[in-house]
Amino acid sequence: MKQPAGIPTFFKNLVEEPLNAMVEKAQDSGQRAIGYTCSYVPRPLLDVEGIFGVRLRAPGVSGTPMADTYLSNVICSLTRSIMELALEGAYSNLGGWVFASSCDHMRRLYDNLDYLEPLDFVHILDVPHKRGEAATAWMKEELEMLAEKLAEHFGVDTGRGALAISIKEHNRLLAILRGLDRLRRRDAPPLSGTQYQMLMMAATSSPRNLVIEPLESLYKELENSSDGIDDYRARLLLAGSNCDDPGYIRVIESTGGLVVGDRTCTGSIPALKPVSEEGDPLEVLASHSLDNISCPRMMEEFGARAQEILEAVKLTRADGVVLETMKFCDTWGVEASPLVSVLREQGIPVLRLEREYAMSSEGQLQTRVQAFLESMGR
Ligand code: SF4
């Protein structure tokens, strides 16, 4: 399957390093980078004047020997990979790190890094596991505490006005990413799933104010492009846990399966939902975060999650779903089997894949996807 040529390598370079050249450029100009590891940390709060959010990844990690001594090897390899790079000093240039209590594995990562003190500013948000008025009030308090600590430690303005500006700019970035995502709904999309994931990771791991213009001009270019992918065998929706490695999607697509949507915690659904610009920004960010029920950490939302995937299948006209989950991930471990049953009951072919963070066996993955496409008669 051909990969359209329209995506500048500039974006590829942005996703190859744990902290990319744009982050360094922004820090050289006096801004401070705040690393975060979960979609329950509201980025607009980290993107006020003077600081900027960087979603942390562990590109290029090969093994986790050091991290295993702190976390053990039955903890998900996403957290171990980030820990390994942290111990290697890959994130030492960060100004701070904000965690969310997304799961026990992430919590253990925070406990260990907070104990080892790699950075001056380390904070964790205690995110409720359910939606509702009380949960939103709790989350708002958590965000108020974080806003105060950021203002005190970095001398930045995290007041209503500053947050309202940040939310507006955040929505501008989301609108560009939604536009790029919509192009994948064409019969012959001008970009592949691999390329789209690269743009998503570039957008979340670079300073917003530096990455927004190149993304906007690329979108305008692709929107008018007649070049598209038309030699694929099937349209696939990728669903599941963290999948921040475009290389993983590249292997899936090397079989002829085109990834036309990604309902993962690092994908387009539901991450690109705009944030309301009405009302108290912290209240809005609190309810917006909790409305993200895509992660199985959110209790009593299985039905809503299954519905969200069914709607994504319809929206993207996917022929099948690839459900990828991180090995040892408890939250997805519980959720995956019943989800597969629901989708199959709806007549949707599903391939369930369990993976490690670092790509280990491309051949095996290719064989699995190949067999899946054949089982769909493609
Ligand atoms: S993949 Fe699962 S275990 Fe790992 S950090 Fe995410 S939710 Fe937690």
Side-chain angles (χ1 to χ4, degrees):
M1 192 177 73
K2 69 179 181 196
Q3 295 273 342
I7 313 292
T9 45
F10 155 80
F11 290 105
K12 190 166 176 295
N13 300 338
L14 288 179
V15 298
E16 283 178 346
E17 298 299 327
L19 296 182
N20 63 40
M22 263 190 180
V23 171
E24 273 168 44
K25 185 175 170 199
Q27 297 224 104
D28 292 347
S29 71
Q31 296 182 64
R32 297 315 316 276
I34 312 293
Y36 68 103
T37 35
C38 173
S39 38
Y40 285 93
V41 177
R43 187 173 173 182
L45 183 47
L46 305 183
D47 275 347
V48 293
E49 187 72 34
I51 56 175
F52 60 94
V54 175
R55 181 141 189 183
L56 294 177
R57 307 165 49 245
V61 67
S62 51
T64 57
M66 294 191 288
D68 293 359
T69 58
Y70 288 93
L71 295 174
S72 95
N73 57 6
V74 288
I75 285 269
C76 99
S77 51
L78 165 67
T79 48
R80 281 187 285 131
S81 302
I82 292 177
M83 178 88 182
E84 189 74 19
L85 290 200
L87 293 171
E88 289 172 6
Y91 311 118
S92 55
N93 282 347
L94 285 174
W97 199 322
V98 175
F99 287 80
S101 57
S102 33
C103 66
D104 291 344
H105 302 232
M106 245 337 144
R107 165 123 245 143
R108 290 283 309 278
L109 175 62
Y110 160 75
D111 293 341
N112 279 276
L113 288 174
D114 189 38
Y115 167 72
L116 295 163
E117 297 175 18
L119 299 171
D120 294 349
F121 185 90
V122 180
H123 182 84
I124 188 164
L125 288 171
D126 190 4
V127 182
H129 287 263
K130 288 175 91 171
R131 293 193 282 184
E133 227 174 288
T136 303
W138 176 288
M139 186 66 179
K140 186 183 172 205
E141 256 179 58
E142 287 290 317
L143 297 183
E144 278 164 358
M145 281 191 272
L146 174 57
E148 275 160 33
K149 272 184 80 177
L150 289 168
E152 200 184 308
H153 188 88
F154 296 101
V156 294
D157 174 6
T158 55
R160 274 182 84 113
L163 286 177
I165 293 167
S166 180
I167 288 174
K168 218 178 188 52
E169 201 54 13
H170 182 70
N171 282 338
R172 185 177 155 220
L173 176 63
L174 297 187
I176 297 165
L177 293 169
R178 278 198 308 278
L180 286 161
D181 183 34
R182 258 195 314 276
L183 298 176
R184 294 193 288 173
R185 292 185 204 142
R186 293 181 182 173
D187 292 342
L191 74 169
S192 68
T194 308
Q195 291 168 323
Y196 184 76
Q197 191 62 15
M198 201 163 55
L199 299 175
M200 275 291 283
M201 293 304 99
T204 50
S205 54
S206 310
R208 183 181 64 193
N209 61 342
L210 294 182
V211 79
I212 210 164
E213 306 294 342
L215 278 171
E216 193 157 41
S217 51
L218 175 65
Y219 170 49
K220 290 191 177 121
E221 205 186 299
L222 290 179
E223 198 183 17
N224 303 316
S225 160
S226 57
D227 181 17
I229 308 167
D230 52 11
D231 58 347
Y232 54 85
R233 296 165 62 190
R235 298 168 70 88
L236 300 175
L237 177 78
L238 186 71
S241 64
N242 176 296
C243 185
D244 66 23
D245 176 9
Y248 187 79
I249 300 178
R250 180 184 48 73
V251 177
I252 292 173
E253 293 192 320
S254 68
T255 64
L258 179 67
V259 174
V260 290
D262 22 62
R263 185 12 208 85
T264 63
C265 84
T266 43
S268 56
I269 306 166
L272 304 183
K273 261 191 204 154
V275 180
S276 166
E277 295 177 17
E278 308 300 319
D280 169 356
L282 286 177
E283 175 105 25
V284 163
L285 289 174
S287 59
H288 185 83
S289 301
L290 294 179
D291 279 346
N292 170 7
I293 50 91
S294 64
C295 179
R297 72 178 300 283
M298 297 305 284
M299 295 178 180
E300 296 165 17
E301 301 284 2
F302 174 77
R305 271 191 292 279
Q307 192 53 36
E308 202 173 54
I309 293 179
L310 291 170
E311 280 158 18
V313 167
K314 248 195 231 117
L315 189 67
T316 59
R317 295 180 296 120
D319 304 302
V321 171
V322 174
L323 181 64
E324 56 78 32
T325 60
M326 210 63 79
K327 198 172 174 189
F328 302 122
C329 171
D330 316 310
T331 48
W332 275 105
V334 173
E335 178 104 349
S337 302
L339 191 55
V340 169
S341 313
V342 167
L343 296 176
R344 287 186 176 148
E345 275 155 25
Q346 298 290 320
I348 298 169
V350 186
L351 172 64
R352 162 95 199 265
L353 296 169
E354 197 174 61
R355 55 184 288 249
E356 293 285 359
Y357 182 80
M359 171 82 72
S360 44
S361 52
E362 287 198 18
Q364 208 180 33
L365 174 58
Q366 250 173 352
T367 310
R368 294 285 309 275
V369 180
Q370 198 75 276
F372 178 54
L373 296 181
E374 280 153 25
S375 73
M376 290 201 289
R378 300 292 174 124

